[in-house]
Amino acid sequence: MAPLGGLTHRTIDASVDELAFAYSIIGTHLGRPATGKKVSYRGMQISRFDSDGKLVERWGSSDELGMLRQLGLAEV
């Protein structure tokens, strides 16, 4: 999906070795086949870093079903 119309963080929380954030994305679908449709969806990420600052774990989730619905590629 591109060009990116916007990325907005909703919540950010951090500690010494973890970072968590929720976000919203708005953009235009240019996949295969490109639909040119505007889509928006939300997601979240949690990351853990070692003592050297290296990323060692990452978990995440996004509303992929919602995006597919907006593109007309999934029915519910």
Side-chain angles (χ1 to χ4, degrees):
M1 183 175 72
L4 189 62
L7 172 65
T8 305
H9 72 273
R10 298 290 180 196
T11 305
I12 295 178
D13 189 23
S15 67
V16 173
D17 64 345
E18 291 183 334
L19 171 67
F21 62 95
Y23 58 87
S24 297
I25 292 179
I26 299 171
T28 303
H29 181 258
L30 299 177
R32 294 190 178 122
T35 65
K37 292 182 179 180
K38 301 288 186 193
V39 295
S40 64
Y41 61 96
R42 296 178 61 179
M44 54 80 61
Q45 297 289 318
I46 302 170
S47 301
R48 189 173 68 81
F49 302 87
D50 67 13
S51 59
D52 295 322
K54 181 180 176 182
L55 178 66
V56 293
E57 293 182 75
R58 186 182 68 83
W59 309 274
S61 180
S62 61
D63 183 14
E64 293 176 14
L65 179 59
M67 181 179 64
L68 292 172
R69 283 180 176 167
Q70 292 173 61
L71 295 173
L73 300 173
E75 295 180 19
V76 176

